[in-house]
Amino acid sequence: MGEADADIIDGLRGAGLIGAGDVALEPLTGGVSCDVWKVETPGGPIVVKRPLEQLRVAAEWHAPIERGASEVRWLRRARGVDARLAPEVLAELPGYGFAMRFLPGCPVWKDELIAGRVDADFAAAVGRGIAAVHAATANDTADRDAFPTDAMFRALRVDPFLLYVAQREPELAPALYALADDLVACKIALVHGDVSPKNILVGADGPVFLDAECAVYGDPAFDLAFCTTHLLLKAVWLADARLGEAAAALVVAYSAGIDWEDADGLLLRAGKLTAALLLARVEGKSPAPYLTDPEHKHIVREQARALIVAPQPIDALVANWKRILA
Ligand SMILES: Nc1ncnc2c1ncn2[C@@H]1O[C@H](COP(=O)(O)OP(=O)(O)O)[C@@H](O)[C@H]1O
Ligand SMILES: [Mg+2]
């Protein structure tokens, strides 16, 4: 056990979550940015998560560990909107770590999709869940002030997904720089920032959102675009049109929850962001690990480039995606 792990264990003791005896930290597989452990405690299993200084990705990528604090704030705020949407935070620990309740028997949505269990109703529930957090936090000064995390969002989202690609694509650069400027300037609602199927558990009462390290007060269209992008990429990878249907269901359900601004404006912003994120997932700093087939990459790249030049609202974009799956 390392010294840092000893800190974590002291923190868990200090919070009264574990006793004086031995305790085992069982690593949970998953992300590139954190240590995540499962720990058995007298009060039941918990998850302990602590951000890493250096992300485990191929390209050099640093991020301040304070992002652990934003994650805790997002999880608590989402539970305030609807307690089913996020795990309960039990304690904050040294080094911006925290403990949360372990949710037993809840598969990761990504694994379900890869196993061929594609449930459009669940995708719709994901859309409703994200929209609920956006609606509850839209145009709220307190929420805005609680997430002064623009620098983090820029480092973890705007730079790697938009600017990195812009630097490599001179033709698309003006559109991508403009998109990045708009995204940074937009302050409408509390954004999770990493709504990906690998960060959503399939709970008995619907989706449970994890991993909110990139949370920022910003453009709600980003969350919609980010999750939709993953479904569209998986549709190409798995050649499964049901994933396109799931994306459509997510967008419809999300749209029904937009009560804070004109839906058309948001759907167009989300369409632009989806186009850019699709390209970023084949050319960016954080490529989708499963999209390795050159033909798949070519299809996504060409579609994304066309959509950056001639943007479509996300609902139309998703409907048209079917054609490339045919
Ligand atoms: N509260 C929880 N209950 C059950 N499993 C969890 C919980 N939190 C995290 N996990 C598991 O650990 C994995 C990684 O957690 P996540 O918060 O996404 O960290 P990372 O930043 O490393 O991706 C998740 O994909 C999930 O399988
Ligand atoms: Mg994760």
Side-chain angles (χ1 to χ4, degrees):
M1 190 200 307
E3 219 171 280
D5 299 2
D7 273 1
I8 289 283
I9 289 171
D10 285 348
L12 292 173
R13 286 214 176 94
L17 289 168
I18 57 171
D22 280 351
V23 57
L25 301 183
E26 175 199 333
L28 288 175
T29 51
V32 295
S33 72
C34 289
D35 284 324
V36 186
W37 298 280
K38 183 179 177 189
V39 181
E40 297 296 339
T41 78
I46 64 171
V47 174
V48 174
K49 187 170 174 183
R50 189 189 50 198
L52 295 166
E53 297 268 1
Q54 167 70 60
L55 275 54
R56 298 185 190 105
V57 286
E60 180 89 347
W61 193 340
H62 288 281
I65 56 170
E66 287 84 343
R67 65 189 192 278
S70 335
E71 172 160 10
V72 166
R73 276 201 300 277
W74 189 92
L75 294 172
R76 289 189 166 140
R77 185 66 186 94
R79 279 179 67 84
V81 176
D82 179 339
R84 294 168 298 188
L85 290 176
E88 183 188 355
V89 175
L90 300 168
E92 294 187 65
L93 302 168
Y96 297 100
F98 67 97
M100 62 183 140
R101 213 174 280 291
F102 178 85
L103 299 167
C106 300
V108 174
W109 191 28
K110 179 182 180 179
D111 297 337
E112 291 294 287
L113 296 174
I114 291 173
R117 290 186 287 274
V118 182
D119 179 353
D121 290 341
F122 185 80
V126 169
R128 271 195 300 280
I130 315 168
V133 176
H134 293 166
T137 58
N139 304 313
D140 187 299
T141 320
D143 285 318
R144 182 177 172 152
D145 292 348
F147 289 86
T149 48
D150 295 44
M152 198 104 65
F153 187 76
R154 226 171 283 196
L156 291 171
R157 289 293 172 257
V158 182
D159 289 355
F161 289 96
L162 300 177
L163 302 183
Y164 183 91
V165 182
Q167 282 151 16
R168 280 155 189 78
E169 291 273 353
E171 264 176 59
L172 303 175
L176 291 172
Y177 285 126
L179 194 57
D181 285 346
D182 290 348
L183 180 58
V184 166
C186 186
K187 297 280 159 208
I188 294 180
L190 176 57
V191 171
H192 174 287
D194 202 1
V195 183
S196 152
K198 74 174 161 52
N199 290 329
I200 298 172
L201 297 179
V202 181
D205 298 323
V208 182
F209 296 88
L210 305 171
D211 213 357
E213 289 173 78
C214 299
V216 72
Y217 203 80
D219 187 352
F222 185 84
D223 282 340
L224 178 61
F226 201 83
C227 194
T228 301
T229 297
H230 280 282
L231 295 176
L232 297 181
L233 291 174
K234 286 185 177 61
V236 173
W237 171 43
L238 300 168
D240 188 341
R242 292 175 308 159
L243 284 155
E245 302 297 340
L250 186 150
V251 171
V252 167
Y254 181 91
S255 303
I258 305 172
D259 65 0
W260 60 88
E261 64 171 294
D262 172 41
D264 290 345
L266 189 151
L267 296 177
L268 181 58
R269 298 201 305 279
K272 290 179 180 179
L273 287 165
T274 302
L277 293 172
L278 284 165
L279 187 62
R281 289 301 186 176
V282 283
E283 287 190 3
K285 226 175 170 183
S286 178
Y290 49 81
L291 218 64
T292 50
D293 183 325
E295 199 188 329
H296 290 162
K297 288 170 92 161
H298 177 76
I299 291 170
V300 172
R301 189 182 291 117
E302 292 312 300
Q303 289 296 317
R305 295 177 62 95
L307 286 163
I308 291 167
V309 173
Q312 294 175 3
I314 192 169
D315 47 344
L317 186 162
V318 167
N320 291 331
W321 199 255
K322 276 184 207 146
R323 275 194 247 133
I324 76 164
L325 300 173

